[in-house]
Amino acid sequence: LMGYVGFANLPNQVHRKSVRKGFQFTAMVVGESGLGKSTLINTLFNTTLYPPKEPLHPSAERSKTVAIESIGADIEENGVRLHLTVVDTPGFGDFVNNDDSWKPIVENIEARFDAYLEQENRVNRLKAVDNRVHACLYFIQPTGHSLKQLDIEFMRRLHTKVNLIPVIAKADTMTDEEITSFKERILSDIEHHNIHIFQAPTYENEDEETIAEAEEIASKIPFAIVGSNSFIGTPDGRKVRGRAYPWGVVEVDNEEHCDFVKLRQMLVRTYMEELREYTNDVLYENWRSEKLVSMGV
Ligand code: GDP
Ligand code: MG
């Protein structure tokens, strides 16, 4: 599953604590319908864990995601266990009025906070399960223009509750130059609207290689993503996950072609512990104290 990702060799001190206990990590995908959210989850899990309802022809349209669903898997590497869950959400943007389409998603995130709070209040906390959402991939349509009003609204509703990680969907439909300028445009829109996205912290007491890896990942945000579960032959005779075009194959797992590998590396290796910590120490803690205030405690 997912090949060898390297979470068993995590870079810093904090990670070693989790290594002993095993990890629970939950990511969520959010964005307009048809941007490839469900496909990306399949791609992350390498197709087998999240089979389509019926056999899928490469050209066939998937059925639409209509409810919030989670897909989980246990991964083990060098004796370290990771329980990875990805929460798929229905797309939005299909209706004339999309005003409240963020609501069920925010409610789902808060329900997970609630479940955690309930466990914290129990006497025996040893078996606490952490189902909180640690990262939210926000899918942006590859328009090359600025962010849509709907995206801004969604991100503003979400950014105080989850680590937001913006991604450019279907990056195979844009040229490298278009992606570079679109990334700049997205980041300046995000800043202009005071949206807080996950800030990858830089390591201080780490070796050069670790620092270089972290900086390389941070420089790719928003990640340009290509999802596919079809294996395609390349002109030089390899079988790769990718999308075929008359001019060639866009390879999912090739870092020259898109940022999928970097995104996966960020989630399950480089920044997993930081994503979990920020969720617990800041996002959850803020939500909890607001809740206590509103209850008059
Ligand atoms: P969702 O509504 O966001 O879950 O989108 P789906 O995963 O159901 O995908 C919608 C359509 O987009 C399907 O026909 C996919 O094959 C296609 N698709 C998914 N990912 C990509 C991608 O990275 N590039 C391109 N060109 N098409 C994609
Ligand atoms: Mg879907």
Side-chain angles (χ1 to χ4, degrees):
L1 176 88
M2 298 176 83
Y4 177 75
V5 288
F7 62 84
N9 303 315
L10 289 161
N12 67 27
Q13 289 280 339
V14 234
H15 292 115
R16 288 174 201 138
K17 248 190 305 179
S18 307
V19 164
R20 287 196 302 271
K21 291 188 277 184
F23 300 85
Q24 287 164 331
F25 188 83
T26 301
M28 177 183 254
V29 296
V30 173
E32 273 185 69
S33 299
L35 291 184
K37 297 181 295 299
S38 299
T39 305
L40 181 78
I41 295 176
N42 272 334
T43 312
L44 270 172
F45 284 121
N46 243 349
T47 69
T48 44
L49 284 144
Y50 188 40
K53 286 171 189 79
E54 55 228 48
L56 195 69
H57 297 288
S59 60
E61 288 290 310
R62 282 189 54 109
S63 57
K64 267 192 190 165
T65 315
V66 291
I68 295 178
E69 302 171 39
S70 14
I71 305 96
D74 283 304
I75 308 172
E76 189 165 337
E77 201 171 88
N78 297 349
V80 179
R81 276 171 302 113
L82 166 65
H83 185 77
L84 179 64
T85 304
V86 182
V87 182
D88 197 2
T89 63
F92 48 82
D94 298 339
F95 307 105
V96 177
N97 182 351
N98 295 294
D99 281 358
D100 288 339
S101 41
W102 51 270
K103 248 188 193 148
I105 294 171
V106 170
E107 280 167 6
N108 185 280
I109 294 168
E110 292 184 334
R112 290 161 180 273
F113 280 163
D114 261 318
Y116 195 80
L117 180 61
E118 201 172 292
Q119 294 186 84
E120 277 193 326
N121 292 336
R122 280 190 210 146
V123 182
N124 181 2
R125 297 193 204 169
L126 282 174
K127 290 209 175 111
V129 191
D130 184 5
N131 283 326
R132 294 171 296 182
V133 178
H134 302 106
C136 174
L137 303 180
Y138 190 87
F139 282 62
I140 297 165
Q141 193 185 347
T143 59
H145 307 126
S146 42
L147 288 183
K148 297 178 185 185
Q149 208 47 54
L150 193 58
D151 293 326
I152 294 161
E153 171 78 7
F154 251 81
M155 290 204 243
R156 297 191 65 147
R157 298 282 178 181
L158 290 168
H159 72 160
T160 55
K161 306 270 161 40
V162 278
N163 284 307
L164 264 187
I165 301 172
V167 305
I168 298 173
K170 301 188 178 180
D172 52 311
T173 62
M174 298 180 94
T175 65
D176 289 352
E177 294 74 40
E178 286 168 337
I179 288 173
T180 306
S181 58
F182 193 35
K183 282 187 175 187
E184 283 168 14
R185 194 67 196 263
I186 291 169
L187 289 177
S188 77
D189 279 357
I190 280 175
E191 198 184 306
H192 177 76
H193 291 282
N194 292 318
I195 294 162
H196 183 260
I197 57 172
F198 177 66
Q199 298 294 317
T202 41
Y203 299 115
E204 273 170 24
N205 305 312
E206 296 294 335
D207 56 281
E208 273 173 43
E209 202 187 324
T210 307
I211 294 172
E213 177 184 302
E215 283 173 356
E216 166 87 4
I217 287 182
S219 74
K220 299 287 183 196
I221 299 172
F223 299 98
I225 292 305
V226 177
S228 169
N229 301 296
S230 322
F231 282 81
I232 297 172
T234 62
D236 57 355
R238 290 170 300 133
K239 277 264 176 222
V240 298
R241 296 198 292 180
R243 306 193 79 93
Y245 285 92
W247 43 265
V249 173
V250 180
E251 301 174 25
V252 168
D253 298 284
N254 185 333
E255 295 196 37
E256 307 264 283
H257 293 192
C258 77
D259 302 329
F260 173 78
V261 171
K262 280 279 174 290
L263 170 67
R264 186 180 66 189
Q265 196 177 331
M266 170 173 185
L267 292 179
V268 297
R269 175 176 150 154
T270 316
Y271 287 119
M272 183 162 66
E273 197 58 32
E274 281 79 6
L275 290 161
R276 282 157 38 93
E277 274 181 2
Y278 194 80
T279 302
N280 184 68
D281 302 351
V282 179
L283 300 165
Y284 171 71
E285 206 43 50
N286 287 346
W287 170 86
R288 200 176 71 102
S289 39
E290 260 173 45
K291 182 169 170 124
L292 295 182
V293 167
S294 74
M295 286 162 54
V297 178

